[in-house]
Amino acid sequence: MSRGRWAPGIALAGLLLLTAGDTLNRAGGNIELNSGGTIRNRYWDSRMFPIRYKLNQNVAKGYTAAAIRSTLDAAFANWETIPGINIDFEWGGTTTTNTLSTDGDYALIFNPATDPGDFVAAAPCSTLIQDVTVTDSSDGVPGNGLGRINFPGGKFITVPVGTYGPGANVDCDIMFNTFDSVFVLDGSAPNENLLGITTHESGHWHSLSHTPFPDATMFPFTDTNPPGDGGQGQGSLEADDIASTAHMYKTGTFDPAHGTLTGKITINGLPGDGAHVAALRASDLMPVAGRFSISRNFNTGDIFDGADFVAQGGGYFRLDGVPPGDYHLCAEWFDSTDEPFGRLENVYNATVGSSNIADGAVGAFAGALGFRPERFDCYNAAESANGGDGTTAGAAADNPDEATLITVTAGGVIPGLNMQVNLDPNTGKTAAARSNPTGVGRAGVGPFTRLAVLRIGTDGTDDDFFILHFPAAMLPPPPYNVIDGIWSKFGRADAAYTGLLMLSDPSNANIIEPPIVWDAPRIVSGYKGGNTGITELVDIRDRFNVTVNEPRDLYMAFKLPQSPPGISWASEGYFTVASDTRTCATGGAACTSSASCPGGSACVGNTTGRTLFTDDGFNTFFISTAFDLLYTVRTETAPPVRITSASPAVLSPGTSGNVVTIGGAGFRPGAQVQFFSPTFGPPQPSGVTVTNVTFVNSSTLQATVDVDAGAPLNFLDVEVTNPEVIIPNRARLMAVDAVDSDGDGVVDPADCLPADANVWFPPGPLGATLSASEPVPGTVQLDWSPPASPGATSVVYDVVSGDTATLLASAGGNYGTCLSAGQVGTSIQDATPLAPGEVRHYMAAGRNTCGPGTFHPEVVPTPTRDTNPGNCP
């Protein structure tokens, strides 16, 4: 497994050195000091600038100090040259120091005295935990405005006089692990690029912690693929790196060029501290900048966040440095249960370590509420204002996939972006039970008896897929929604890993249908395009929102990118797996096959056999019996939105004005509908054009569609997108079909009797052809023409009569008296005498085996009536 980088902490109390080594300071926005029960930011007091870094004289690995210095200078300059940021580093010469120590000698150590352990590089800093006042005479030179901060062992630093508060750094070193790593200047794989590594570690020097965004320089794993892809390779800084720096070191010129987002996370009526709030670019949902909500344990005296904490309390966030543009704002919670990698164990700061949003382990987290929301949530102005207060349930319906668009302008501050994370409204439940209002469930490939990182090779072409099979029996009873696929990627990838969701044929589980989702979005995980470096371990969360309406096997797949020229695939791909520990059924000895077991005992293993592979684009499959890829699929049994029906289920090419009634739950006014034609590749145009969508109610939409004459004969995936939604809902419920079984010229989906060539649909209206005359006194002669669209080879007719109020009313109801039912010809006589002053009206309609047509009156213009047969049999 690759070695990550982390920032151990050392704290100073007056002249007393405390070896805190607090691993809670490893990551998350800015490094924090957790002392005396309160949390503060660590930082460099600007009076101490410039920070003069020194290089130990014996740099090792064949490079001269002069060659390395230019790279080190460039790494520090990456931070110093951010517009509107006040950070100042300066070359200080060389030093003999080759151990980490608090001595005022800011050393960059390439030849440590001993093997430093399991990391590529580390940047420990020493930090004050109480006020230290520096007097003018303490350096022995009165009147020069300088004094000393003394360290144990006679060491000291000279700084301007004044008081330096808790959280102020006084010493930092960087140690490069030359025992186990090779640092190079050209980024050649598999070595560590010195510029990228130093840029990352100098970020720790000015108290930036790790970020969960893999694009950023402060992501905790080195990026060498390629060295200039926006990660640590060349140390190029992303917006998230800049935003974290700006939180503590911005000048008056920074904010006018960026936007600021502020708000508060509330959960169960209490401040939700330690929630990670991410600004997602609206165009592609990629994370741009993030911040953790302030801990309820924060110190009111902190010079950066203390005032916000006093005014707003715990759960508040201030996200500086957001570039102008359109964003969605979403929050997530770190934990050690969802991801194989365990983000809570690897990416967090002191705030998150003491967060009251936990995974149910109250004892493991100070002040934990005892639950963790099962889904990420986004800021949605329509519902965020009423999430409940913990006693009274919130009235707002919470759809985590809906997010209000936020437009950030240069110099603008957008306040009040509050997210009240809604829980199960049943306040009689325990907090842990209320954390899961949508019924999130997990199904894992497992068993996870022994974890490993496995290099996997296939034929290296562009049709290779890994597929995880989840039988219907291990999934919830339909209908339910699939919302996440969670897996871990380790090692180099030069192109994207495409995530897919496929379903089995409902009538034959051995047949896999084309993907219903090709390349799911990854909101806060995965790279731009999916690239990763050779030493990176990344948790991937493929986000879905698919309703499954029948008992179907699920296949969660990801496509392996084709290897670039000159690089074999086997040297690149790594996945976190559960290895099979195979043992003899008798005796329990380790084995590789039954032949190696004594007495004919079987060699049995613990793998599920659900990890499938295909290297020919789903034509053939083979199964692993040696390991399972670690993969978790998450489902919702009570999702905010689901699509459960579509009628008609089949559309015919070349038809127009089809009205498709879509049933489900959670629809909102303004919802939009689309149809996709799936393939074993990206979805293709379906040929189905939506001309109008009518919102009937929360469970019914009506979409009017036209179908191209050349529409592909295929499944149709229905997609419903509520207003402000970021991940639309999909379901596989329809098809386009052009079969004409009876040869009557009408395709089966549009044919009411597809096996009868003499009839295909009910007759159309008679139009304005019905006429009345009086050939003899007291007898009315009625005549009409056959309908322009008879719908069959033969038609009979129904004729009704009545007064004006009855037959000419636009509303249905009374169809008068049946004059003739099943009339064969197109004329009939009515000899019923007319009463004095009576005005009699008539309506007629055609009828065939498919049913009645529309009644049409003899007086025009008047409303055409519907197909209610009236009093005719």
Side-chain angles (χ1 to χ4, degrees):
M1 178 176 172
S2 171
R3 295 174 304 278
R5 289 121 10 125
W6 60 291
I10 300 174
L12 288 173
L15 304 182
L16 176 63
L17 178 66
L18 300 179
T19 56
D22 186 359
T23 58
L24 291 183
N25 295 319
R26 290 192 294 182
N30 302 112
I31 298 178
E32 295 173 337
L33 173 69
N34 195 354
S35 176
T38 62
I39 297 172
R40 295 175 181 266
N41 286 294
R42 299 191 184 201
Y43 66 100
W44 280 103
D45 191 301
S46 61
R47 291 171 293 181
M48 300 182 69
F49 290 150
I51 307 301
R52 294 180 174 85
Y53 53 90
K54 299 180 180 180
L55 177 64
N56 66 316
Q57 294 173 340
N58 181 13
V59 297
K61 301 299 181 184
Y63 286 100
T64 65
I68 286 184
R69 177 190 167 183
S70 62
T71 301
L72 301 178
D73 288 345
F76 284 101
N78 279 331
W79 300 102
E80 293 176 293
T81 55
I82 301 172
I85 296 296
N86 177 32
I87 299 175
D88 192 4
F89 299 102
E90 184 177 282
W91 173 254
T94 59
T95 178
T96 59
T97 298
N98 66 351
T99 59
L100 299 174
S101 59
T102 304
D103 55 9
D105 203 7
Y106 309 132
L108 310 183
I109 302 168
F110 280 85
N111 61 337
T114 58
D115 188 339
D118 190 26
F119 60 85
V120 174
C125 290
S126 301
T127 304
L128 298 176
I129 61 173
Q130 64 185 48
D131 287 344
V132 172
T133 300
V134 177
T135 61
D136 182 70
S137 60
S138 59
D139 66 339
V141 185
N144 66 353
L146 301 175
R148 291 180 178 175
I149 295 179
N150 296 301
F151 305 146
K155 304 289 186 177
F156 63 87
I157 57 172
T158 302
V159 297
V161 298
T163 298
Y164 295 81
N169 293 324
V170 293
D171 185 90
C172 286
D173 297 320
I174 298 177
M175 179 174 285
F176 299 86
N177 187 351
T178 52
F179 278 76
D180 302 309
S181 301
V182 176
F183 297 90
V184 295
L185 306 181
D186 60 2
S188 56
N191 302 311
E192 305 292 352
N193 182 272
L194 181 60
L195 177 57
I197 297 295
T198 307
T199 302
H200 177 99
E201 298 305 332
S202 57
H204 286 320
W205 257 32
H206 65 272
S207 297
L208 298 195
S209 198
H210 290 151
T211 175
F213 297 160
D215 278 359
T217 286
M218 296 312 297
F219 187 66
F221 292 91
T222 57
D223 179 6
T224 56
N225 176 46
D229 70 352
Q232 291 86 28
Q234 294 291 349
S236 55
L237 302 181
E238 297 291 324
D240 185 62
D241 303 309
I242 295 170
S244 294
T245 301
H247 195 73
M248 298 191 295
Y249 299 105
K250 64 183 177 182
T251 67
T253 63
F254 183 85
D255 282 343
H258 300 83
T260 299
L261 308 178
T262 69
K264 190 169 183 176
I265 307 296
T266 304
I267 180 167
N268 205 35
L270 300 174
D273 55 20
H276 187 239
V277 183
L280 310 178
R281 194 166 46 227
S283 60
D284 58 8
L285 298 183
M286 288 302 298
V288 173
R291 188 83 196 153
F292 283 97
S293 55
I294 296 176
S295 171
R296 69 205 181 288
N297 299 317
F298 215 76
N299 191 293
T300 58
D302 181 82
I303 64 174
F304 302 106
D305 294 306
D308 279 343
F309 180 57
V310 171
Q312 304 292 340
Y316 184 76
F317 64 88
R318 179 179 296 275
L319 182 51
D320 305 291
V322 181
D326 290 334
Y327 297 91
H328 298 300
L329 193 70
C330 297
E332 64 169 347
W333 353 100
F334 284 6
D335 64 275
S336 57
T337 59
D338 281 350
E339 295 82 359
F341 185 24
R343 297 180 72 179
L344 184 57
E345 299 170 355
N346 291 276
V347 184
Y348 63 93
N349 59 14
T351 286
V352 179
S354 62
S355 170
N356 63 358
I357 302 175
D359 58 5
V362 180
F365 304 96
L369 295 174
F371 62 88
R372 176 184 47 76
E374 298 290 339
R375 287 203 64 173
F376 72 96
D377 199 7
C378 297
Y379 168 72
N380 179 12
E383 60 87 9
S384 291
N386 187 6
D389 61 7
T391 301
T392 303
D398 189 3
N399 183 351
D401 291 322
E402 291 180 353
T404 297
L405 187 70
I406 299 169
T407 299
V408 174
T409 58
V413 178
I414 304 178
L417 302 176
N418 302 324
M419 283 178 269
Q420 298 197 36
V421 181
N422 293 338
L423 305 175
D424 189 314
N426 184 353
T427 57
K429 292 183 178 180
T430 64
R434 293 187 64 213
S435 69
N436 194 7
T438 61
V440 172
R442 296 171 177 81
V445 169
F448 307 137
T449 55
R450 182 165 62 91
L451 301 185
V453 176
L454 189 67
R455 183 175 66 195
I456 301 173
T458 59
D459 64 0
T461 57
D462 199 36
D463 55 3
D464 301 336
F465 293 82
F466 293 161
I467 311 166
L468 289 308
H469 178 202
F470 294 89
M474 68 181 301
L475 297 164
Y480 63 87
N481 279 19
V482 179
I483 57 172
D484 278 318
I486 307 168
W487 53 286
S488 291
K489 167 69 179 66
F490 176 69
R492 182 172 182 172
D494 291 278
Y497 282 72
T498 302
L500 291 71
L501 168 59
M502 299 184 294
L503 303 170
S504 70
D505 186 301
S507 60
N508 187 344
N510 295 318
I511 298 176
I512 302 177
E513 294 179 349
I516 190 170
V517 173
W518 177 278
D519 202 13
R522 295 163 183 166
I523 290 185
V524 287
S525 61
Y527 263 72
K528 297 173 183 173
N531 295 18
T532 49
I534 198 165
T535 58
E536 289 171 323
L537 177 55
V538 182
D539 283 329
I540 307 296
R541 304 193 80 161
D542 295 328
R543 304 284 190 183
F544 303 97
N545 195 4
V546 172
T547 303
V548 179
N549 289 290
E550 302 166 283
R552 292 178 180 244
D553 291 5
L554 297 185
Y555 292 88
M556 316 298 287
F558 33 90
K559 180 181 181 223
L560 288 79
Q562 184 173 359
S563 301
I567 299 178
S568 68
W569 171 251
S571 68
E572 297 179 53
Y574 295 78
F575 291 87
T576 305
V577 300
S579 296
D580 180 19
T581 305
R582 301 179 71 80
T583 59
C584 297
T586 301
C591 60
T592 57
S593 67
S594 295
S596 61
C597 292
S601 176
C603 182
V604 297
N606 295 317
T607 56
T608 64
R610 296 206 307 275
T611 299
L612 287 73
F613 308 93
T614 177
D615 56 11
D616 56 10
F618 302 106
N619 290 311
T620 59
F621 303 90
F622 51 98
I623 298 174
S624 169
T625 58
F627 57 85
D628 286 315
L629 271 66
L630 295 188
Y631 196 99
T632 300
V633 58
R634 297 206 307 170
T635 60
E636 282 182 319
T637 56
V641 180
R642 61 168 42 146
I643 307 170
T644 56
S645 65
S647 179
V650 182
L651 298 174
S652 296
T655 59
S656 61
N658 303 280
V659 177
V660 180
T661 301
I662 299 169
F667 304 147
R668 295 191 178 180
Q672 296 300 305
V673 176
Q674 293 189 80
F675 298 88
F676 297 93
S677 180
T679 67
F680 282 103
Q684 301 299 312
S686 64
V688 178
T689 302
V690 179
T691 60
N692 182 64
V693 177
T694 300
F695 172 82
V696 179
N697 51 49
S698 63
S699 60
T700 307
L701 299 173
Q702 287 187 329
T704 304
V705 303
D706 297 337
V707 186
D708 295 344
L713 309 183
N714 197 6
F715 302 112
L716 279 181
D717 292 332
V718 185
E719 180 179 274
V720 173
T721 305
N722 272 337
E724 300 193 331
V725 77
I726 57 174
I727 303 179
N729 190 219
R730 284 191 183 182
R732 180 158 293 169
L733 294 166
M734 300 181 65
V736 173
D737 194 350
V739 176
D740 179 12
S741 300
D742 55 17
D744 58 9
V746 179
V747 295
D748 288 1
D751 195 331
C752 65
L753 292 175
D756 187 344
N758 295 312
V759 62
W760 42 96
F761 43 69
L766 304 183
T769 68
L770 180 62
S771 63
S773 62
E774 192 177 15
V776 297
T779 299
V780 177
Q781 175 76 34
L782 298 172
D783 298 283
W784 60 89
S785 299
S789 176
T793 56
S794 63
V795 181
V796 296
Y797 302 94
D798 296 329
V799 183
V800 296
S801 65
D803 59 25
T804 303
T806 297
L807 293 192
L808 299 190
S810 60
N814 193 336
Y815 280 69
T817 302
C818 182
L819 183 62
S820 177
Q823 172 74 26
V824 175
T826 58
S827 65
I828 191 175
Q829 289 187 345
D830 180 9
T832 305
L834 286 169
E838 177 186 356
V839 177
R840 187 179 298 169
H841 292 278
Y842 299 90
M843 291 196 304
R847 176 156 49 92
N848 60 31
T849 311
C850 280
T854 300
F855 278 102
H856 203 93
E858 91 285 6
V859 177
V860 179
T862 54
T864 297
R865 300 294 291 273
D866 61 26
T867 56
N868 189 316
N871 294 322
C872 289

